Amino acid sequence: MNENYRAGASLTALGIMLAVGLGQAASASPVHQATPNIEAQARYDAVSKRVADRIGDPAADYELGVAASDAGRYGEAIVAFQRVLAVDPGHAQARAELARAYALAGDPDTARAQFATVVEDPSLPDPVRQRFTGLVRKLDREIRGGGSNLSGFIDVSGGYDDNINAATDLTSIVIPLFAGLGPGTLGAGARAQGDEFYEISGGISGVSATGRQDRIFGSVLANWRDNIDSRAFDQASVTGTVGAAHSFANRDVVSLSGQVQQFWLGQNSYRQAYGAIAQYTHLLPGSRALSVSAQYNRFNYDTDALRDADRYALAAAFVTRIASFNVLAGHEETRRAAGDAFSNDFAGASAGAEIPVAPKVAVIAGAAFDLRRYDQPDPLFLVNRADERIDLSAGVKIAVLPNVFVRPRATYSRNWSNIALYDFDRWTASVGLRFEF
């Protein structure tokens, strides 16, 4: 996949994962959430029939409230416990269950107030008081936004790449500007080269609440790829991201983030990138999300100022528990007129999935398509460059320890271009070990 397209897609994915996490944090309760099931529903049906003619009796209302809460009927449970407290305000168990029902219903403020009242009851046994005090602290943390979270990974892999420089298989081509001289022989750096490689990557990300619905987040990602016999095409990068997000009452999330990247090629500084993304994510049932975003990137090249460019893109994505789908389109404009042959319109689409097939095994697959149309003729080939590219990947993720995975993987890329120099295919095969925390 084109590296600029991949960077944009990665930033979009980061925003969606943040949005899903923030939305879930805003709606989740730290109190144990009873999962309604067939048994709980049957128990509620039996209790409601048995006490139907005893509504107003504190014992009957308390029993009904517990059954309703376990069955996920939080509104009915709240009403039942309120009837108990109207007759017996000192009923500590009913007040505790009322607080629990409010928490499960998504009202941590009222739940916290009710739990605090229970804790202050002098007749409450110390073990029970300690448990309720802990619940109050958790509710306080939720009201403040859920606290902070830190996660990361380290990945080490090695394998073989049959085209480390993404170059053509041809040994000679005709350059129209010098057609009278006949075919020109391509140097080694312009022809496909195969080599073994090893790669090390790692990252760490953090999210911290600044309020119930607001969070700040940041991450650092580093990557190093060394080709065993060729230094010229070694690659390394460090990317930093920081941003803020706000979750609305309906759990939708809006976020704004910035990103900087340093990229090395052949162990020399090659390019710097600066970016920003504004994103809106709508959360759907079943841990799904739909997102739209606007992105901007600036690219500065150390040794080729004609390629310095501004890039604008619009993107949309849909994610589920096991899959993601992305589309992206935009324009990249060089900042110098003399480099306008590098300016281009682009569009792309990608999909990826991680599908469990056994308790400790998942199949991983991905596909992407990238299309580019350049604004001005190439100065050597005298035509406007036009490229289409596909990227395919497949692998297996095997858990060997709770947070350690083995990942054999294969990839294939094919770039079609109307300029022979940029027409190529490429495949890689590798095995990696990944630690997540």
Side-chain angles (χ1 to χ4, degrees):
M1 190 185 301
N2 180 279
E3 62 187 28
N4 296 344
Y5 176 85
R6 184 165 55 239
S10 298
L11 194 56
T12 301
L14 171 66
I16 294 174
M17 289 187 287
L18 165 78
V20 172
L22 179 56
Q24 290 175 341
S27 63
S29 168
V31 182
H32 172 70
Q33 297 195 21
T35 302
N37 53 38
I38 296 176
E39 290 183 4
Q41 184 61 47
R43 186 163 56 251
Y44 165 78
D45 292 339
V47 171
S48 60
K49 290 179 181 178
R50 188 170 66 250
V51 303
D53 58 350
R54 296 169 53 207
I55 299 301
D57 177 354
D61 284 331
Y62 177 79
E63 186 180 6
L64 178 62
V66 171
S69 184
D70 289 345
R73 297 171 173 263
Y74 306 126
E76 189 172 342
I78 289 170
V79 172
F81 293 131
Q82 285 175 337
R83 285 199 301 265
V84 175
L85 294 171
V87 176
D88 183 3
H91 198 306
Q93 288 178 302
R95 194 170 297 279
E97 289 292 347
L98 176 62
R100 176 172 174 267
Y102 273 121
L104 294 174
D107 186 352
D109 295 287
T110 305
R112 196 257 184 239
Q114 294 293 336
F115 270 128
T117 301
V118 175
V119 171
E120 294 169 1
D121 187 335
S123 66
L124 197 67
D126 284 340
V128 179
R129 187 191 310 280
Q130 291 173 4
R131 177 174 177 272
F132 285 162
T133 299
L135 291 174
V136 170
R137 292 196 187 109
K138 290 180 180 180
L139 286 166
D140 285 340
R141 194 157 53 243
E142 180 182 345
I143 290 169
R144 292 193 301 269
S148 301
N149 180 61
L150 194 67
S151 61
F153 75 95
I154 299 173
D155 194 304
V156 180
S157 63
Y160 181 79
D161 185 336
D162 86 320
N163 192 352
I164 60 174
N165 52 335
T168 179
D169 289 328
L170 299 175
T171 58
S172 64
I173 58 174
V174 174
I175 300 177
L177 190 62
F178 305 105
L181 301 177
T185 301
L186 294 176
R191 301 195 306 269
Q193 299 181 28
D195 200 357
E196 293 82 13
F197 70 90
Y198 68 88
E199 187 168 8
I200 302 172
S201 60
I204 187 168
S205 61
V207 180
S208 181
T210 58
R212 184 185 305 176
Q213 295 174 282
D214 298 294
R215 290 190 173 191
I216 55 174
F217 59 91
S219 67
V220 177
L221 177 66
N223 175 268
W224 163 256
R225 173 169 167 148
D226 182 75
N227 300 297
I228 303 301
D229 295 323
S230 174
R231 173 175 174 169
F233 301 105
D234 292 350
Q235 298 181 20
S237 65
V238 176
T239 305
T241 302
V242 64
H246 175 78
S247 177
F248 297 99
N250 67 349
R251 301 194 307 143
D252 285 2
V253 178
V254 62
S255 66
L256 181 64
S257 59
Q259 186 178 74
V260 296
Q261 182 188 74
Q262 170 66 47
F263 183 79
W264 292 267
L265 180 64
Q267 301 183 23
N268 297 311
S269 178
Y270 180 73
R271 188 195 69 191
Q272 299 80 44
Y274 312 89
I277 181 169
Q279 181 168 299
Y280 187 89
T281 301
H282 175 59
L283 299 183
L284 300 167
S287 297
R288 298 174 300 158
L290 181 64
S291 175
V292 294
S293 63
Q295 305 174 12
Y296 166 76
N297 293 94
R298 167 163 285 198
F299 301 109
N300 295 328
Y301 291 83
D302 291 316
T303 60
D304 192 356
L306 293 182
R307 295 187 64 185
D308 291 351
D310 295 309
R311 179 177 178 274
Y312 309 87
L314 295 175
F318 175 70
V319 298
T320 70
R321 289 181 183 273
I322 63 172
S324 64
F325 307 89
N326 301 270
V327 293
L328 183 74
H331 181 74
E332 187 172 312
E333 184 69 26
T334 56
R335 297 200 294 276
R336 294 172 175 81
D340 205 31
F342 294 110
S343 298
N344 64 87
D345 295 317
F346 60 87
S350 64
E354 182 174 319
I355 305 171
V357 295
K360 295 184 179 182
V361 180
V363 172
I364 303 173
F369 174 76
D370 182 32
L371 177 147
R372 288 181 179 265
R373 295 293 183 264
Y374 289 77
D375 290 1
Q376 296 294 327
D378 183 281
L380 291 179
F381 293 92
L382 307 180
V383 296
N384 291 43
R385 181 178 168 185
D387 286 14
E388 298 89 33
R389 175 169 173 165
I390 60 168
D391 292 271
L392 304 173
S393 65
V396 180
K397 185 176 180 180
I398 306 168
V400 293
L401 291 171
N403 295 312
V404 179
F405 305 88
V406 173
R407 299 192 308 141
R409 182 170 179 261
T411 70
Y412 175 77
S413 299
R414 178 70 172 95
N415 191 77
W416 294 274
S417 180
N418 62 335
I419 297 178
L421 187 64
Y422 307 113
D423 194 278
F424 68 88
D425 62 2
R426 178 183 189 180
W427 64 265
T428 70
S430 63
V431 176
L433 188 67
R434 183 181 181 93
F435 170 64
E436 299 176 353
F437 59 93

